[in-house]
Amino acid sequence: MKKISFHELVQQERFNTKVITYHELTKSPEAAYQKIEVTRRDVQRLLTPYLTQKISEQLKAVLPLALYLVLFQTLILRQHILDASLVVSGLVAVILGLMLFMEGLRLGLMPFGETIGNKLPKKSTLPVVLFIVFLLGIGVTFAEPAIGALKTAGSNVDPMAAPYLYTILTHWSDILVLVVGGGVGFAAILGTLRFIFDWSLKPLIFLSVIPTLGITIYAMQIPELSRIIGLAWDSGAVTTGPVTVPLVLALGIGIAAAAGSGNQSLSGFGIVTLASLFPIIGVQLLGIYIYETVPLEQILASVQTAQMTRPAWYEMTPFVEIISGIRAIVPLVTFLGLVLFLLLKDRIPDFKVVALGIGFSVLGMIIFNLGLTYGLAALGTQAGAMIPAAFISIEAIADSPLYWFSLGIAITILFAFILGFGATIAEPALNALGLTVERLTNGAFKKQTLMMAVALGVGAGIALGVVKIIFDWSLAWMLIPAYLLALVLTFLSTEAFVNVAWDSAGVTTGPVTVPLVLAMGLGLGQAVSAVEGFGILAMASIGPILCVLVVGLWTRFRSYRLEKEAIESSVTLDSSLLKNVTTQAKSKGVK
């Protein structure tokens, strides 16, 4: 008789058991052909709670940030919102688009990832599995809602001040996204291997961060390449959104579960970290390649040509948003369908539901792109462009500067910190992460402690990123010491805290925060005549990593101290008892 472990039994039960509903069990042949009469009132009663919940989820993500920016601009900077009705319409489109997209992701795309993750390792060899995972990493990157903000950032870059940065964001924008996707693909491969073989995350972090810092040090030596560092490090934050992490995670965990391996308590961690580091390497290598192969004169000539050429119809709004929405979802769905139908020779259950979900995803992405253009990006750019009025004179505001220089700088830094802190605290994914961490550490690391550590880290990171843009500091000199410190803390920390800390930055880079902060940074950079406005997202990523690692070490030290005190008190108690027994024995004449 073959013996199997309890873990294998659970996996077999999970993936080889068909679940049927009570309705399927009890329905009669006659009932199968009976149509249920549903009135409009019934439809309203069914849909109202559902839509209310879905819309409220997106309202919580969009409304607080938008209101904060509006109040800051109107009360502190004393400036009206330009094109307010258009911005409001854009924000409504963002909410509606995200609602449709997230529901489409749940109904249409996630079933693909779960089914392929379960079936693929049973019918294919490991190299084929890893190749599919790599292609999936590229596909999900194109489907990330926030990736559109990265592609449209080129319009805010001065081609004369940063020609190579400009050409990457304009003429090489599709290649840029492809390179970022390739980085996510390699991260997905490494994450899948980690799921299967139970690799520790610590060595992978060292093997990923050290080359990334090495390429950054090389790039900072060349003035033209130093302008690309901010874009490269910010691109890592764009990749850990609502599409990449769930799909790749579902596929990786499914593969590990089907293979009968994987540490179930920590198997979900690590993919966010790797998916944010590898794109940084890819973008910097792309910048080096362009620098070595494309002459500066060619870039400047293309800029002059572009200024004299009228954009084609498909390059103008709203057509560019519609085309981008279709291009983001349809190729990914086509690839997943080919893998499922041709390679695995399987089918998706509830095809109509999945098709409806895919339709929701495409429609939601299109509406979100339109909202991004007219709502989030416009609001962020306005706020970023007007913030310098607090401490310097700008043409757009006649009474600027509104405050003394030092007071204006303090107000700006406080504004950035509260923006990051508030957006992080309101993030639902952080609350879920906090509950997971509290469970894994048996209550030693409280949920509120983690949430405060991450929020403080993000707030401090965004504040430092804003300071970097205002004073035109070198981003490399800010990132390199921070990541070296993170590596030291990683070496000293336990595996559990390392997993949590390095993934904590990913939960804060949602489809709303990333475009808003990116647009704000670029607008701020233009207002203060900085060469480029990237780097805020990069600092917002390293901040929570450092905070969580420090808090983790403190929690570990506190637990050790409490345990030591408990042992010492126990020894003292035992000594007291022994002394009392000895005293009583002597009083009774017992030797």
Side-chain angles (χ1 to χ4, degrees), residues 6-16 257-258 260-261 264:
F6 178 74
H7 171 72
E8 292 174 324
L9 177 64
V10 171
Q11 297 300 337
Q12 291 294 325
E13 181 182 0
R14 178 182 175 187
F15 289 101
N16 296 323
S261 59
Q264 296 304 304

Side-chain angles (χ1 to χ4, degrees), residues 571-591:
V571 171
T572 303
L573 181 62
D574 291 343
S575 301
S576 301
L577 288 174
L578 180 61
K579 185 177 180 180
N580 291 335
V581 171
T582 304
T583 303
Q584 292 177 4
K586 287 182 178 180
S587 64
K588 295 180 180 180
V590 180
K591 294 184 179 180

